Coordinates of all heavy atoms in Angstrom, one line a residue:
G1 N 0.0 -6.9 18.0 CA -0.2 -5.8 17.0 C -1.5 -5.1 17.2 O -2.2 -5.3 18.2
A2 N -1.9 -4.4 16.2 CA -3.2 -3.7 16.3 C -3.8 -3.6 14.9 O -3.1 -3.7 13.9 CB -3.0 -2.3 16.9
I3 N -5.1 -3.4 14.8 CA -5.8 -3.2 13.6 C -6.7 -2.0 13.7 O -7.3 -1.8 14.8 CB -6.6 -4.5 13.2 CG1 -7.1 -4.3 11.7 CG2 -7.7 -4.8 14.1 CD1 -7.5 -5.6 11.1
E4 N -6.6 -1.1 12.7 CA -7.4 0.2 12.8 C -8.3 0.3 11.7 O -8.0 -0.1 10.5 CB -6.4 1.4 12.8 CG -5.5 1.4 14.0 CD -4.5 2.6 13.9 OE1 -4.8 3.6 13.2 OE2 -3.4 2.5 14.5
S5 N -9.5 0.8 12.0 CA -10.5 1.0 11.0 C -10.9 2.5 11.1 O -10.4 3.2 12.0 CB -11.8 0.2 11.2 OG -12.5 0.6 12.4
V6 N -11.8 2.9 10.2 CA -12.3 4.3 10.3 C -13.0 4.6 11.6 O -13.1 5.7 12.1 CB -13.1 4.7 9.1 CG1 -12.3 4.7 7.8 CG2 -14.3 3.7 8.9
K7 N -13.5 3.5 12.2 CA -14.3 3.6 13.5 C -13.5 3.4 14.7 O -13.8 4.0 15.7 CB -15.5 2.6 13.5 CG -16.5 2.8 12.4 CD -17.8 2.0 12.8 CE -17.6 0.5 12.8 NZ -18.8 -0.2 12.7
A8 N -12.6 2.5 14.7 CA -12.0 2.1 16.0 C -10.6 1.5 15.7 O -10.2 1.1 14.6 CB -12.9 1.1 16.7
A9 N -9.8 1.4 16.8 CA -8.6 0.6 16.8 C -8.7 -0.5 17.8 O -9.4 -0.4 18.8 CB -7.4 1.5 17.2
S10 N -8.2 -1.7 17.4 CA -8.3 -2.8 18.3 C -7.0 -3.6 18.4 O -6.3 -3.7 17.4 CB -9.4 -3.7 17.7 OG -9.7 -4.8 18.5
D11 N -6.6 -4.0 19.6 CA -5.4 -4.8 19.7 C -5.7 -6.2 19.1 O -6.8 -6.7 19.1 CB -5.1 -5.0 21.2 CG -4.6 -3.7 21.9 OD1 -4.0 -2.9 21.1 OD2 -4.7 -3.6 23.1
L12 N -4.6 -6.7 18.6 CA -4.6 -8.1 18.1 C -4.0 -9.0 19.2 O -2.9 -8.7 19.7 CB -3.8 -8.2 16.8 CG -4.3 -7.4 15.6 CD1 -3.3 -7.3 14.5 CD2 -5.6 -8.1 15.1
I13 N -4.8 -10.0 19.6 CA -4.4 -10.9 20.7 C -4.0 -12.2 20.1 O -4.7 -12.8 19.3 CB -5.5 -11.1 21.7 CG1 -6.1 -9.8 22.1 CG2 -5.0 -12.0 22.9 CD1 -5.2 -8.9 22.9
A14 N -2.8 -12.7 20.4 CA -2.3 -14.0 19.9 C -3.1 -15.1 20.5 O -3.2 -15.3 21.7 CB -0.8 -14.2 20.2
P15 N -3.7 -16.0 19.6 CA -4.4 -17.1 20.1 C -3.5 -18.3 20.6 O -3.9 -19.1 21.3 CB -5.3 -17.6 18.9 CG -4.6 -17.0 17.7 CD -3.8 -15.8 18.2
A16 N -2.3 -18.2 20.2 CA -1.3 -19.3 20.6 C 0.1 -18.6 20.6 O 0.3 -17.6 20.0 CB -1.4 -20.5 19.6
S17 N 1.0 -19.3 21.2 CA 2.4 -18.8 21.3 C 3.3 -19.4 20.2 O 3.0 -20.5 19.7 CB 3.0 -19.2 22.7 OG 2.2 -18.7 23.7
G18 N 4.3 -18.6 19.8 CA 5.2 -19.1 18.8 C 6.0 -18.0 18.2 O 6.0 -16.8 18.6
E19 N 6.9 -18.3 17.3 CA 7.7 -17.4 16.6 C 7.1 -17.0 15.3 O 6.6 -17.8 14.5 CB 9.1 -18.0 16.3 CG 10.0 -17.1 15.6 CD 11.4 -17.7 15.2 OE1 11.7 -18.8 15.7 OE2 12.1 -17.1 14.4
V20 N 7.1 -15.7 15.0 CA 6.6 -15.1 13.8 C 7.5 -15.6 12.6 O 8.7 -15.2 12.7 CB 6.4 -13.6 13.8 CG1 5.9 -13.1 12.5 CG2 5.5 -13.2 14.9
I21 N 7.0 -16.3 11.7 CA 7.9 -16.8 10.6 C 7.5 -16.0 9.3 O 8.3 -16.1 8.3 CB 7.8 -18.3 10.4 CG1 6.4 -18.8 10.2 CG2 8.5 -19.0 11.5 CD1 6.3 -20.3 9.9
E22 N 6.4 -15.3 9.3 CA 6.0 -14.5 8.1 C 4.9 -13.5 8.5 O 4.1 -13.8 9.4 CB 5.5 -15.5 7.0 CG 5.3 -14.8 5.6 CD 4.9 -15.8 4.5 OE1 5.1 -17.0 4.7 OE2 4.3 -15.3 3.6
V23 N 5.0 -12.4 7.9 CA 3.9 -11.4 8.0 C 3.2 -11.2 6.7 O 3.9 -11.4 5.6 CB 4.3 -10.1 8.6 CG1 4.8 -10.2 10.0 CG2 5.3 -9.4 7.8
N24 N 2.0 -10.9 6.6 CA 1.3 -10.7 5.4 C 1.5 -9.3 4.8 O 0.8 -8.4 5.1 CB -0.2 -11.0 5.5 CG -1.0 -11.0 4.2 OD1 -0.5 -10.6 3.2 ND2 -2.2 -11.5 4.3
E25 N 2.6 -9.2 4.0 CA 3.0 -7.9 3.5 C 2.0 -7.2 2.7 O 1.9 -6.0 2.6 CB 4.3 -8.1 2.6 CG 5.5 -8.6 3.4 CD 6.1 -7.6 4.3 OE1 5.7 -6.4 4.4 OE2 7.0 -8.0 5.1
A26 N 1.1 -8.0 2.0 CA 0.0 -7.4 1.2 C -0.9 -6.5 2.0 O -1.4 -5.5 1.5 CB -0.8 -8.5 0.6
L27 N -1.0 -6.7 3.3 CA -1.9 -5.9 4.2 C -1.2 -4.5 4.4 O -2.0 -3.6 4.7 CB -2.1 -6.6 5.5 CG -2.9 -7.9 5.4 CD1 -3.1 -8.5 6.8 CD2 -4.2 -7.7 4.7
A28 N 0.1 -4.4 4.3 CA 0.7 -3.1 4.5 C 0.3 -2.1 3.4 O 0.0 -1.0 3.7 CB 2.2 -3.3 4.5

């Protein structure tokens, strides 16, 4: 995924492999 700020956008890099079982909906 990616994270964007008022200054920059940055890719999110997975530190480990696996299946996504939940996303933090509050961040949307």
Side-chain angles (χ1 to χ4, degrees):
I3 190 161
E4 294 178 24
S5 72
V6 291
K7 295 198 294 198
S10 184
D11 288 335
L12 294 166
I13 310 295
S17 303
E19 180 184 343
V20 177
I21 54 175
E22 192 177 336
V23 296
N24 189 345
E25 298 288 354
L27 297 180

